[in-house]
Amino acid sequence: MKRRFGLVVALLSGLLLSAGTSWAADYPTRPIKWVVPYPPAGTTDVLARIVAQALSERLGQQVIVENKPGGGNNIGTEFVVNAPADGYTMLLVNPANGINATLYKKLNYNFVRDITPVAGIVRTPNVMVITSGLPVKNVAEFIAYCKANPTKVNMASSGSGTSVHMSGELFKFMTGCQMAHIPYKGAGPALTDLIAGQVHVLFDNLPSSVPHIKSGRIRALGVTSKNREPSMPDTPTVGDTVPGYEATAWFGIGMPRGVPKEAVDRINLEINRILADPKMRERLADLGGVPIPGTPDDFAKTVVAETEKWGKVVTTSGATAE
C-alpha cells in the first residue's frame, strides 16, 4: 500500500512539474492588458505605447494599453491590485505610486506589498524652469533671490502630490527657500502661467518644457537628474549647486501580488532585450528617458527606495491629496 501511495505521489508531482514547465514555455497564450493610470496622449502614455508595441512583437501576443486615469493614479493601481494574478494584467509603475503611499492616508491597498515589481524601464529628469522676467541666471542666483524676497516667489506644479510638486518641495527643504505652492490641473496650465509671468518657477517634466525653453519663453536653470541631460548639455544639474539634490521620474512594470514567477521572468527578460536595442534607446532619449534595465529584484529596490525617499518629502512638506 505504501509503495502504491508513493508511486501515486510521484506521478502527481511529475504531472504538476510538467504542467508548470509547459505553462512557462507557452506564456503568454493571449493578449496582456497594460494599465496606464494616466489619460491618453501624454508623455507617460506615449512611453507605454512605444514599449507595448515592442513587447507585443517579442511575445507574439498583443500588449494592450488601457488608460485608467483618476484618483491621483490610485484608480488604475487599485484595478491591477485586484486583478487575477495570472500574468495577464500589468501596471505602469510610476512616481505617483511611491508618493501616494504617504500622501494618501487611506488607500485600499499597500503598493509595496500588493504589486510585484517586474522590470524597470526608464528614468526621466525634471527641469527647473523660471519665467523669463525673473532677474536670475542660475540656481545659486535663484536661491539668493528667494532668500532676499521671502514669501514672494510662487512655485507652480502640475498638481498637489505629483512628482513635479515633490521635486519643488525637495528643493525647498534642501535650500531653505520659501516659495508658495500653486497647484494646477496639469503641466499645460502651469506652463501657460509661467510663460505669462503669473508664477515664477516650475520643476516640470522635461519633454513638455523643452519647446518653450528652445523658444526662449522660459529659462532653464538646471535639470533634476544626477547627471547632465544629453539633449541639454549646456544646462547644469540642480545638484551642481545643491549637493545631493536629485529628483527623477521612474517608470516600470508591476503585476498583482502572487503572479507566477515564470510570468515575471519572461516579461523582465523581454523588457531588458528591448532596452538594449539602440533604436529603442534613441526613441526613449527623445522623451528624456534613460533606460534602467535590471532584474525584478533591482526594480523592487528602486520601488522601496523611492517610496521611502518621497515619503519623507511628503511628511516634511505637509503636502496633502487634493
Side-chain angles (χ1 to χ4, degrees), residues 104-318:
Y104 287 82
K105 305 308 177 187
K106 292 183 179 180
L107 290 174
N108 296 323
Y109 61 89
N110 180 304
F111 175 68
V112 172
R113 180 195 67 201
D114 295 334
I115 290 291
T116 299
V118 176
I121 300 175
V122 294
R123 279 189 180 273
T124 61
N126 288 345
V127 58
M128 181 181 179
V129 288
I130 61 171
T131 185
S132 59
L134 205 65
V136 302
K137 297 180 180 178
N138 54 51
V139 174
E141 289 184 4
F142 180 87
I143 294 171
Y145 181 86
C146 276
K147 293 185 175 181
N149 298 274
T151 72
K152 292 184 180 180
V153 176
N154 292 330
M155 180 188 77
S157 83
S158 55
S160 183
T162 61
S163 67
V164 173
H165 174 205
M166 291 295 106
S167 295
E169 292 293 346
L170 181 62
F171 181 86
K172 288 167 61 177
F173 174 73
M174 295 182 70
T175 62
C177 283
Q178 296 182 46
M179 299 185 286
H181 174 223
I182 311 296
Y184 289 79
K185 293 186 176 180
L191 279 166
T192 297
D193 275 7
L194 186 73
I195 293 167
Q198 300 299 313
V199 289
H200 304 104
V201 64
L202 174 68
F203 290 77
D204 191 30
N205 297 139
L206 184 65
S208 55
S209 274
V210 165
H212 306 296
I213 294 169
K214 290 182 176 179
S215 70
R217 285 179 285 183
I218 56 177
R219 186 181 308 139
L221 298 186
V223 292
T224 65
S225 50
K226 185 176 182 179
N227 301 310
R228 292 200 180 200
E229 166 58 33
S231 64
M232 301 173 63
D234 296 329
T235 304
T237 69
V238 174
D240 288 340
T241 304
V242 186
Y245 180 92
E246 181 183 3
T248 52
W250 45 281
F251 300 91
I253 293 174
M255 288 181 175
R257 180 177 57 170
V259 67
K261 183 177 183 298
E262 292 85 357
V264 172
D265 290 344
R266 177 70 194 281
I267 298 298
N268 179 273
L269 173 67
E270 300 304 348
I271 288 293
N272 279 297
R273 286 173 172 171
I274 288 167
L275 296 180
D277 184 341
K279 291 183 178 179
M280 177 58 72
R281 295 177 80 91
E282 185 176 338
R283 295 188 73 183
L284 295 176
D286 290 339
L287 296 175
V290 177
I292 49 172
T295 65
D297 284 344
D298 291 333
F299 188 49
K301 291 175 183 176
T302 296
V303 169
V304 171
E306 292 285 341
T307 300
E308 291 177 351
K309 173 181 178 176
W310 294 111
K312 293 175 183 177
V313 177
V314 169
T315 300
T316 302
S317 69

Side-chain angles (χ1 to χ4, degrees), residues 24-52:
D26 294 342
Y27 173 83
T29 58
R30 54 188 170 87
I32 296 173
K33 180 186 298 182
W34 192 4
V35 174
V36 175
Y38 287 93
T43 302
T44 304
D45 180 65
V46 171
L47 166 67
R49 292 180 188 278
I50 289 173
V51 176

